[in-house]
Amino acid sequence: MAVDLLLGLQWGDEGKGKIVDVLTKKYNLISRFQGGPNAGHTLIFDGHKHVLHTIPSGIFHKEAINVVGNGVVIDPVIFNNEIEGLSKFDVDFKKVLLISRKAHLILPTHRLLDAASEKAKGKDKIGSTLKGIGPTYMDKTGRNGMRVGDLELDNWKEIFEKLTQKHLKMIEFYDVELDYDLDDLRTCFFNSVEKLKELTFIDSEEYLHQAIKADKKILAEGAQGSLLDVDFGTYPFVTSSNTTAAGACTGLGVAPNQIGEVYGIFKAYTTRVGSGPFPTELFDEDGATMAKVGHEFGATTGRPRRCGWLDMVALKYACQVNGVTQLNMMKADVLSGFDTLKVCTAYEYKGEVIKHFPYNIEPENVKPIYTELKGWQADLTEMTSKDQFPQELNDYVTFIEQETGIKISIVSVGPDRKQTILM
Ligand code: GDP
Ligand code: IMO
Ligand code: MG
């Protein structure tokens, strides 16, 4: 069993980047397996803050190799900006950052198509990050996509142009106004591709197969969260990839019997950015406090995140779909100061009480049923061991462990690498 997984169990932004960074010292190789620059993974250490979008979160550890797997979609322009942003860190990118030839490329016109589709949907829009994710995965499954490996062909610009022309016709179909300069977009893309070609492209499934054979320790880093999974999330308000455990197998070419630990990561409350149902969402003072104390703004788009109580129905569902073996609870510090904490343990669904996550959780059909727990007042952010935890936090942890049947192995009490308590 050589590949462990770390996956978000809610609607993304659980703190995956932070925990991958913390865990990297135990691993030889960190690999992203799906999503693309819609992700924003924040790492904070030694007074520096970094937001990574496509580069795996092991990049700051000298000994680790970082692989961008076949299931990821790459925008060369954003990718280069990320690399440039890390220039002061003396990272030997050619050596430690390897890119799958089978990963698909996000073209400038994929981004335009994303914008056109959202504009045309009006008030029903998904709330996409507008990074071109949906249109790129559509071209992948529609068997029209352009892959990283194509950039090694002499005629890659012809492939680019053919796909671009197809997209321009599709944009016309949407009949919405978009402001863009295609020549500028093309030039910027071509320049970024030349930079991308300075990195190392690999046949990643073979590379990972050899790494497993050589007993290397591999951690697969998820993006987004289980409730944004294209199959199991709150469809259609989801992303366009499988964010759950099975996505790691297809997004890396690793067989299911090679998967070891599955770290499931969740916030002690719930957030969501973009549109879509959210049964425990708060519109009151409590929600505003979570947003303020938790600095709940999207790491990629800067949009405010919607906040609400922990949803145990959804959390248990995510644990089940992913086969979670250990839980990591993030942002416990944000809940300090509440007299009472609520956890949704069932839904009133179309007049019935249910404990499973149904086909649709549209707001008119779902009302959360809460269990109340006593809150804690102590500031957790300076704590360094679980012995310092207030009893009410221990009770909150125990409650979640009993509900899910899974141990919480990490409690995070602040954004910094150091504010991580091993249980
Ligand atoms: P990711 O997409 O799952 O990597 O998460 P994001 O980086 O988008 O969002 C998590 C946010 O919470 C970031 O701003 C982190 O710096 C911050 N964060 C992570 N863990 C904690 C924690 O335990 N406490 C607090 N207060 N902030 C945290
Ligand atoms: P990380 O990896 C939170 C949301 C968007 C939108 C929906 C579809 O940082 O947790 P897309 O751009 O994929 O077409 O958007 O999914 N979304 C995220 N929300 N964290 C993310 O990534 C997200 N990536 C996409 O807000 O609702
Ligand atoms: Mg994020």
Side-chain angles (χ1 to χ4, degrees), residues 12-18 40-42 44 49 267 293-295 299 305 330-334 412-415 419:
D13 302 333
E14 296 88 352
K16 298 175 290 293
K18 166 176 167 165
H41 294 182
T42 313
I44 299 183
K49 172 177 165 173
K267 279 179 185 161
V293 179
H295 302 289
R305 294 181 186 138
M330 310 302 288
K331 299 192 111 164
D333 53 302
V334 176
S412 176
V413 294
Q419 293 168 299

Side-chain angles (χ1 to χ4, degrees), residues 382-389 421-422:
E382 302 288 323
M383 293 187 180
T384 51
S385 130
K386 69 174 178 147
D387 306 334
Q388 299 163 301
F389 280 179
I421 314 277
L422 303 181

Side-chain angles (χ1 to χ4, degrees), residues 3-246:
V3 183
D4 294 342
L5 312 181
L6 183 136
L7 307 160
L9 300 181
Q10 295 162 319
W11 280 289
D13 302 333
E14 296 88 352
K16 298 175 290 293
K18 166 176 167 165
I19 296 299
V20 170
D21 171 59
V22 167
L23 295 177
T24 297
K25 53 183 182 296
K26 294 205 298 187
Y27 291 91
N28 307 107
L29 216 149
I30 309 297
S31 189
R32 276 278 304 271
F33 58 88
Q34 46 67 233
N38 48 349
H41 294 182
T42 313
L43 286 70
I44 299 183
F45 56 89
D46 300 341
H48 299 287
K49 172 177 165 173
H50 303 278
V51 180
L52 297 170
H53 300 287
T54 320
I55 296 177
S57 299
I59 198 72
F60 295 106
H61 294 257
K62 285 249 171 324
E63 306 75 32
I65 299 290
N66 291 265
V67 175
V68 179
N70 59 279
V72 176
V73 291
I74 300 175
D75 183 330
V77 180
I78 296 178
F79 203 80
N80 277 322
N81 288 343
E82 265 191 87
I83 288 184
E84 275 168 24
L86 300 179
S87 55
K88 63 172 183 281
F89 283 91
D90 186 31
V91 180
D92 185 351
F93 288 106
K94 189 150 178 70
K95 198 167 138 224
V96 302
L97 181 59
L98 313 177
I99 303 174
S100 174
R101 289 193 173 91
K102 291 197 172 84
H104 278 245
L105 290 168
I106 302 176
L107 272 52
T109 39
H110 281 129
R111 268 186 278 129
L112 295 177
L113 276 169
D114 215 354
S117 164
E118 286 284 79
K119 256 194 163 174
K121 283 195 160 108
K123 68 169 179 34
D124 297 326
K125 69 176 184 194
I126 307 292
S128 161
T129 61
L130 301 178
K131 302 295 176 198
I133 305 295
T136 306
Y137 279 115
M138 277 164 71
D139 270 338
K140 174 178 176 172
T141 51
R143 296 158 300 174
N144 294 306
M146 182 169 174
R147 300 188 289 178
V148 167
D150 291 333
L151 300 175
E152 293 173 321
L153 304 173
D154 292 336
N155 69 339
W156 71 264
K157 284 191 182 168
E158 284 168 34
I159 301 172
F160 169 90
E161 206 49 50
K162 200 169 152 204
L163 194 51
T164 296
Q165 291 307 321
K166 186 189 107 172
H167 291 163
L168 292 175
K169 288 208 185 81
M170 290 166 71
I171 290 167
E172 265 175 46
F173 159 82
Y174 281 108
D175 197 23
V176 293
E177 239 178 79
L178 288 183
D179 191 19
Y180 62 91
D181 182 330
L182 191 61
D183 288 336
D184 276 359
L185 291 172
R186 201 185 265 121
T187 306
C188 185
F189 185 85
F190 287 177
N191 290 342
S192 301
V193 163
E194 292 313 323
K195 289 269 179 205
L196 192 71
K197 285 166 82 172
E198 289 170 15
L199 299 176
T200 307
F201 299 165
I202 57 167
D203 295 337
S204 55
E205 62 281 21
E206 173 61 15
Y207 181 90
L208 291 170
H209 176 70
Q210 294 302 338
I212 292 169
K213 263 178 52 180
D215 254 348
K216 300 280 184 209
K217 290 277 289 165
I218 301 170
L219 179 65
E221 172 180 5
Q224 290 80 55
S226 303
L227 306 178
L228 289 170
D229 182 281
V230 67
D231 281 280
F232 300 107
T234 46
Y235 193 89
F237 300 100
V238 293
T239 191
S240 297
S241 63
N242 282 116
T243 60
T244 43

Side-chain angles (χ1 to χ4, degrees), residues 315-336:
L315 192 70
K316 280 160 118 172
Y317 169 72
C319 288
Q320 183 184 313
V321 170
N322 289 304
V324 171
T325 60
Q326 294 183 35
L327 288 166
N328 300 337
M329 184 169 85
M330 310 302 288
K331 299 192 111 164
D333 53 302
V334 176
L335 292 187
S336 292

